[in-house]
Every structure is written in structure tokens, then in C-alpha cells.
Amino acid sequence: MDVKNYDTLTQKIEQKGGIPITSHTEYVCCHHLPSWYDKCSEFTAESHFFEVDEDLEKNVAALGWDAYFVKDFVKSNNANKGSIAQSPAQVREIVEQLELYRGEIEGGISIRRVEEYRPNTECRYFVVRGEAYSPNRKIPDLVTEINHLIDAPFYSIDIIENAQGKLRLVELGDGQVSSRKNWPLKKFIEMLTAIAKV
């Protein structure tokens, strides 16, 4: 759900006398990469944010990188060109695919420095009302550090090992639109019950 539609949803809930668990502001905080990047930049790949305009390729070229990971503010490209561009011109092609297959570019374009990660080391954690939850009962120090920086009632934290074995932040996500990924269903349901706690 894009941030505009989420704003409409929260307004409808409030009009009916309800209180959303996650406000519109809190949703944007974890849903859009630029909203959390400054707080977590030391833990994640270097990123820059651009409009989709005639200066896109020029701005990307100014970074001087060998490769570019391309996504909008929320999603990467899963179509045939993938998400990694080897040139500014390829960045434009990936952006066009994003727009074609998703129907829109949400927010703008995120260009991230490509980092080398160890295969099969990514893990998703959730934070519910300030408490971090793990699918395997282990909470890495990095998850705890990020939890102290982000003020949102329900969000996900994706962590991965880089080539040197250091934990890195892949991305944050609003918990309401994050899949359970590597979580056993029973464990995920147990975690969700914490949302109801006052």
C-alpha cells in the first residue's frame, strides 16, 4: 500500500472511532527508504535519492561507482533486467521496468552502492512496541542498535552478513506489509499477539 492510500486508510479508521496501530507518519518512517536512511546509514549500503527526470543519468554518473543497485523508495526490480545496473544508462532501463511492471514509481529513485553479501545469511526480525523478536530467539546487537533509533510500533529489520562476516542492514519495512519470510508460522503468530498488548 503506498503512503497516500495508507493515509486514506488511517483517516477512515479514525472517522469510525478507531485508532490505527501505526500512524501515517510512522508508516512512512519505515516504508520509504529515505525516511529511515539517515538514522541507519552507518549500518547499511551507501544510498542516494533522485527524482525520475532528465537529470537522472547525469546524477547517477556523478557517483562514479562501478555498479548501482536500483529501486524506488520501496521496491526493487524483479523483472528480467534485475536491480543491478552496470552503467547510468542501465539505471534508466531498470527504472522504466519498475514503472512498467509496478505501474508507478513510489516516492522516487534510490541508488544504493552494491555490497557483497554471503549467500543464505539474510534474516528478518520484527519490532513490536519497542521489543525485538527473532525467528530463532537470537537478537543480534545490530538489531538492538537499530531498535533504539527507530520510533515505530511495528516494523521489520532485514539483516545480512557481508563478505567479511559483518552484519549489515538490508532494509527496514513497515510490519503490516512485511511478509514473515523465514519465520515459522507458529512463531510468527506468537509474535503478532504482542501487538494487542497495552
Side-chain angles (χ1 to χ4, degrees):
M1 182 179 291
D2 65 29
V3 295
K4 183 177 180 181
N5 285 329
Y6 190 80
D7 190 28
T8 300
L9 174 63
T10 56
Q11 290 180 40
K12 296 293 184 183
I13 291 172
E14 290 165 352
Q15 287 169 9
K16 294 293 185 178
I19 301 173
I21 291 172
T22 300
S23 70
H24 175 257
T25 300
E26 291 164 337
Y27 185 77
V28 176
C29 170
C30 295
H31 192 56
H32 274 190
L33 198 161
S35 297
W36 57 261
Y37 176 74
D38 284 346
K39 292 180 180 178
C40 301
S41 60
E42 66 180 296
F43 308 125
T44 195
E46 181 181 348
S47 302
H48 298 266
F49 310 105
F50 303 106
E51 299 290 333
V52 184
D53 57 22
E54 64 275 7
D55 292 327
L56 178 61
E57 291 172 52
K58 176 183 175 183
N59 290 333
V60 169
L63 296 175
W65 299 345
D66 293 331
Y68 312 85
F69 187 92
V70 185
K71 61 184 293 182
D72 66 12
F73 285 2
V74 180
K75 292 285 187 181
S76 54
N77 178 48
N78 294 320
N80 61 348
K81 290 190 180 297
S83 296
I84 296 180
Q86 304 299 327
S87 69
Q90 287 184 1
V91 168
R92 174 72 69 178
E93 293 172 8
I94 291 173
V95 168
E96 290 172 354
Q97 279 203 343
L98 271 170
E99 193 164 18
L100 175 65
Y101 290 106
R102 295 192 63 222
E104 65 174 351
I105 297 296
E106 185 166 350
I109 298 301
S110 305
I111 303 297
R112 313 200 75 192
R113 187 184 285 274
V114 176
E115 296 187 345
E116 185 178 353
Y117 300 127
R118 290 181 175 174
N120 305 314
T121 61
E122 186 172 348
C123 186
R124 173 162 290 172
Y125 302 85
F126 284 91
V127 174
V128 181
R129 301 192 188 282
E131 185 172 351
Y133 291 84
S134 165
N136 55 22
R137 299 188 180 276
K138 298 176 182 177
I139 306 292
D141 290 342
L142 179 56
V143 171
T144 301
E145 288 187 68
I146 293 168
N147 185 16
H148 290 151
L149 297 173
I150 302 298
D151 184 18
F154 181 36
Y155 64 98
S156 61
I157 304 174
D158 291 350
I159 301 295
I160 197 168
E161 287 184 24
N162 67 10
Q164 292 73 42
K166 182 179 179 181
L167 291 181
R168 297 287 283 162
L169 171 63
V170 178
E171 64 182 357
L172 301 186
D174 179 79
Q176 301 169 104
V177 293
S178 298
S179 70
R180 64 186 173 94
K181 221 166 185 177
N182 55 315
W183 283 65
L185 180 58
K186 182 178 179 181
K187 184 75 176 175
F188 188 71
I189 291 171
E190 289 174 357
M191 182 272 299
L192 287 178
T193 61
I195 296 175
K197 296 177 183 177
V198 178

